[in-house]
Amino acid sequence: MWLRVQSVWMYLEPVFSSEDIINQMPVEGRTFKEVNISWHHLMNKINANPRALDVIKIETIGETLKIANNKLEKVQRGLNEYLESKRGLFPRFYFLSNDELLEILSETKEPLKVQPHLKKCFEGIDKLKFDEEKKIYGMYSVETEFVPYTRIIDTAASKGAVEDWLVQVEEVMLKSIKQVVE
């Protein structure tokens, strides 16, 4: 049980250290925080006296780990549902692993953090051309060919919803390519 809780906690801890994720998943964020507090309390208690025979004498260790495991399973289910909902809003997210998608969603205020993942979402886009206000003016291919967009995309207007401005990138990409080809 200890190893199971520890491995799930290690996976979820960086996810729920992001304020963006906590804001989008408040129930799971609170539940993870409860587990995090009890986990740290238990680990501090064990660290104070790490001898195996003393650790097994901690009366609440089994129950604490079972409760933590149940709560972490609920958090993981909620996280998976959240990721599926985001993929439903922008189907190209299916090309990304859960970890890559979480990396994007945990940096909603920083659109430039999406750049490394664009190649997986859009086959022909290597990177986008942003200005200092984080507005998008066009796209670059792997061969550094630049295609200007038919309209500017303001990522700030999406208020942190990465999937919203990526849908716009997809729409404007198609229109811009059509215009260049014509």
Side-chain angles (χ1 to χ4, degrees):
M1 187 62 64
W2 184 340
L3 293 175
R4 192 177 318 154
V5 170
Q6 184 174 357
S7 67
V8 175
W9 177 85
M10 286 175 59
Y11 173 73
L12 293 174
E13 197 272 332
V15 172
F16 286 97
S17 65
S18 166
E19 284 297 318
D20 289 337
I21 296 290
I22 290 174
N23 290 339
Q24 295 174 48
M25 301 178 63
V27 173
E28 290 82 359
R30 279 191 301 278
T31 304
F32 180 79
K33 188 175 182 179
E34 291 170 11
V35 172
N36 193 39
I37 289 168
S38 71
W39 175 255
H40 281 287
H41 177 72
L42 181 62
M43 290 301 112
N44 287 336
K45 190 184 273 189
I46 291 169
N47 193 36
N49 194 359
R51 295 186 325 202
L53 292 176
D54 291 331
V55 169
I56 62 169
K57 290 179 184 174
I58 300 173
E59 293 177 22
T60 60
I61 191 169
E63 189 62 29
T64 300
L65 290 172
K66 284 178 188 174
I67 292 169
N69 185 55
N70 290 338
K71 287 182 178 182
L72 288 176
E73 284 178 357
K74 288 178 185 174
V75 171
Q76 267 193 312
R77 277 194 300 275
L79 180 62
N80 289 334
E81 290 170 9
Y82 169 71
L83 294 177
E84 277 304 305
S85 72
K86 292 298 183 178
R87 286 181 170 121
L89 295 171
F90 185 64
R92 289 179 183 256
F93 280 158
Y94 282 105
F95 296 123
L96 301 173
S97 69
N98 283 354
D99 292 340
E100 291 168 326
L101 183 52
L102 283 168
E103 187 178 332
I104 289 171
L105 297 174
S106 66
E107 296 288 348
T108 57
K109 293 177 183 76
E110 193 53 56
L112 295 173
K113 300 273 183 165
V114 176
Q115 294 273 40
H117 306 290
L118 286 172
K119 292 177 200 167
K120 287 188 177 180
C121 291
F122 301 100
E123 187 177 345
I125 299 178
D126 183 46
K127 59 185 176 182
L128 299 171
K129 181 180 179 182
F130 286 91
D131 67 5
E132 53 281 338
E133 295 175 0
K134 298 186 178 102
K135 293 181 181 177
I136 305 172
Y137 288 86
M139 59 190 167
Y140 291 96
S141 70
V142 177
E143 296 82 19
T144 66
E145 176 186 18
F146 178 71
V147 176
Y149 278 170
T150 55
R151 72 175 171 82
I152 297 168
I153 299 171
D154 184 6
T155 59
S158 296
K159 294 180 176 61
V162 178
E163 64 279 3
D164 288 350
W165 64 262
L166 283 173
V167 166
Q168 293 177 48
V169 165
E170 184 176 29
E171 292 169 359
V172 176
M173 169 190 72
L174 295 171
K175 288 177 184 174
S176 300
I177 292 295
K178 182 179 179 183
Q179 183 180 27
V180 167
V181 170
E182 286 176 350

mmCIF file of all heavy atoms in Angstrom, residues 21 24 38 47 87 91 96 102-103 119 164 169 175 179:
data_model
loop_
_atom_site.group_PDB
_atom_site.id
_atom_site.type_symbol
_atom_site.label_atom_id
_atom_site.label_comp_id
_atom_site.label_asym_id
_atom_site.label_seq_id
_atom_site.Cartn_x
_atom_site.Cartn_y
_atom_site.Cartn_z
ATOM 1 N N ILE A 21 -3.853 24.244 -12.772
ATOM 2 C CA ILE A 21 -4.575 22.978 -12.660
ATOM 3 C C ILE A 21 -5.501 23.007 -11.447
ATOM 4 O O ILE A 21 -6.663 22.594 -11.528
ATOM 5 C CB ILE A 21 -3.589 21.786 -12.558
ATOM 6 C CG1 ILE A 21 -2.767 21.645 -13.839
ATOM 7 C CG2 ILE A 21 -4.329 20.494 -12.230
ATOM 8 C CD1 ILE A 21 -3.525 21.187 -15.051
ATOM 9 N N GLN A 24 -8.595 24.865 -12.173
ATOM 10 C CA GLN A 24 -9.503 24.177 -13.088
ATOM 11 C C GLN A 24 -10.112 22.919 -12.471
ATOM 12 O O GLN A 24 -11.128 22.437 -12.942
ATOM 13 C CB GLN A 24 -8.754 23.814 -14.380
ATOM 14 C CG GLN A 24 -8.325 25.057 -15.154
ATOM 15 C CD GLN A 24 -7.469 24.719 -16.345
ATOM 16 O OE1 GLN A 24 -7.804 23.846 -17.120
ATOM 17 N NE2 GLN A 24 -6.351 25.417 -16.498
ATOM 18 N N SER A 38 -1.358 14.630 4.900
ATOM 19 C CA SER A 38 -1.240 13.394 5.689
ATOM 20 C C SER A 38 0.001 12.597 5.271
ATOM 21 O O SER A 38 0.666 11.994 6.119
ATOM 22 C CB SER A 38 -2.499 12.540 5.574
ATOM 23 O OG SER A 38 -2.620 11.972 4.297
ATOM 24 N N ASN A 47 10.491 9.453 9.257
ATOM 25 C CA ASN A 47 11.847 9.991 9.143
ATOM 26 C C ASN A 47 12.466 10.254 10.522
ATOM 27 O O ASN A 47 13.669 10.107 10.706
ATOM 28 C CB ASN A 47 11.850 11.273 8.304
ATOM 29 C CG ASN A 47 13.239 11.689 7.892
ATOM 30 O OD1 ASN A 47 14.092 10.848 7.618
ATOM 31 N ND2 ASN A 47 13.466 12.991 7.851
ATOM 32 N N ARG A 87 -9.722 17.012 -24.337
ATOM 33 C CA ARG A 87 -9.538 16.367 -25.642
ATOM 34 C C ARG A 87 -10.819 16.456 -26.473
ATOM 35 O O ARG A 87 -10.763 16.539 -27.695
ATOM 36 C CB ARG A 87 -9.102 14.916 -25.453
ATOM 37 C CG ARG A 87 -7.658 14.809 -25.007
ATOM 38 C CD ARG A 87 -7.212 13.368 -24.843
ATOM 39 N NE ARG A 87 -5.773 13.317 -24.645
ATOM 40 C CZ ARG A 87 -5.176 12.801 -23.589
ATOM 41 N NH1 ARG A 87 -5.902 12.280 -22.604
ATOM 42 N NH2 ARG A 87 -3.869 12.795 -23.498
ATOM 43 N N PRO A 91 -9.785 17.968 -30.343
ATOM 44 C CA PRO A 91 -9.420 16.568 -30.598
ATOM 45 C C PRO A 91 -7.943 16.332 -30.924
ATOM 46 O O PRO A 91 -7.449 15.226 -30.722
ATOM 47 C CB PRO A 91 -10.300 16.183 -31.794
ATOM 48 C CG PRO A 91 -11.470 17.097 -31.704
ATOM 49 C CD PRO A 91 -10.923 18.386 -31.158
ATOM 50 N N LEU A 96 -1.340 13.804 -28.018
ATOM 51 C CA LEU A 96 -0.419 14.045 -26.906
ATOM 52 C C LEU A 96 -0.631 13.038 -25.788
ATOM 53 O O LEU A 96 -1.758 12.599 -25.544
ATOM 54 C CB LEU A 96 -0.631 15.459 -26.346
ATOM 55 C CG LEU A 96 -0.443 16.623 -27.310
ATOM 56 C CD1 LEU A 96 -0.860 17.923 -26.640
ATOM 57 C CD2 LEU A 96 0.985 16.697 -27.787
ATOM 58 N N LEU A 102 -0.888 17.638 -19.739
ATOM 59 C CA LEU A 102 -0.839 18.294 -18.435
ATOM 60 C C LEU A 102 0.181 19.428 -18.424
ATOM 61 O O LEU A 102 -0.050 20.473 -17.811
ATOM 62 C CB LEU A 102 -0.504 17.288 -17.341
ATOM 63 C CG LEU A 102 -1.654 16.379 -16.923
ATOM 64 C CD1 LEU A 102 -1.149 15.246 -16.056
ATOM 65 C CD2 LEU A 102 -2.732 17.177 -16.221
ATOM 66 N N GLU A 103 1.291 19.238 -19.114
ATOM 67 C CA GLU A 103 2.295 20.298 -19.187
ATOM 68 C C GLU A 103 1.721 21.535 -19.860
ATOM 69 O O GLU A 103 1.930 22.659 -19.409
ATOM 70 C CB GLU A 103 3.515 19.792 -19.961
ATOM 71 C CG GLU A 103 4.678 20.753 -19.958
ATOM 72 C CD GLU A 103 5.894 20.196 -20.697
ATOM 73 O OE1 GLU A 103 6.061 18.968 -20.739
ATOM 74 O OE2 GLU A 103 6.660 21.018 -21.210
ATOM 75 N N LYS A 119 4.247 20.227 -32.975
ATOM 76 C CA LYS A 119 4.536 19.242 -34.022
ATOM 77 C C LYS A 119 3.649 18.012 -33.896
ATOM 78 O O LYS A 119 3.307 17.398 -34.898
ATOM 79 C CB LYS A 119 6.000 18.814 -33.963
ATOM 80 C CG LYS A 119 6.964 19.899 -34.345
ATOM 81 C CD LYS A 119 8.389 19.411 -34.181
ATOM 82 C CE LYS A 119 9.306 20.617 -34.094
ATOM 83 N NZ LYS A 119 10.630 20.284 -33.640
ATOM 84 N N ASP A 164 -9.114 26.779 -26.646
ATOM 85 C CA ASP A 164 -9.838 27.788 -27.422
ATOM 86 C C ASP A 164 -8.956 28.433 -28.478
ATOM 87 O O ASP A 164 -9.338 28.525 -29.645
ATOM 88 C CB ASP A 164 -10.424 28.874 -26.511
ATOM 89 C CG ASP A 164 -11.609 28.381 -25.699
ATOM 90 O OD1 ASP A 164 -12.100 27.271 -25.961
ATOM 91 O OD2 ASP A 164 -12.040 29.120 -24.792
ATOM 92 N N VAL A 169 -6.202 28.555 -34.028
ATOM 93 C CA VAL A 169 -4.996 28.297 -34.828
ATOM 94 C C VAL A 169 -5.336 27.333 -35.956
ATOM 95 O O VAL A 169 -4.947 27.539 -37.104
ATOM 96 C CB VAL A 169 -3.846 27.725 -33.956
ATOM 97 C CG1 VAL A 169 -2.744 27.122 -34.809
ATOM 98 C CG2 VAL A 169 -3.281 28.810 -33.049
ATOM 99 N N LYS A 175 -7.452 28.534 -43.423
ATOM 100 C CA LYS A 175 -7.781 29.699 -44.249
ATOM 101 C C LYS A 175 -6.513 30.328 -44.834
ATOM 102 O O LYS A 175 -6.500 30.757 -45.991
ATOM 103 C CB LYS A 175 -8.554 30.730 -43.428
ATOM 104 C CG LYS A 175 -9.969 30.304 -43.109
ATOM 105 C CD LYS A 175 -10.683 31.312 -42.234
ATOM 106 C CE LYS A 175 -12.062 30.800 -41.856
ATOM 107 N NZ LYS A 175 -12.737 31.680 -40.902
ATOM 108 N N GLN A 179 -5.492 30.666 -48.748
ATOM 109 C CA GLN A 179 -5.191 31.965 -49.359
ATOM 110 C C GLN A 179 -3.835 31.946 -50.059
ATOM 111 O O GLN A 179 -3.707 32.449 -51.174
ATOM 112 C CB GLN A 179 -5.203 33.066 -48.291
ATOM 113 C CG GLN A 179 -4.972 34.453 -48.868
ATOM 114 C CD GLN A 179 -4.980 35.515 -47.783
ATOM 115 O OE1 GLN A 179 -4.661 35.244 -46.632
ATOM 116 N NE2 GLN A 179 -5.339 36.733 -48.166
#
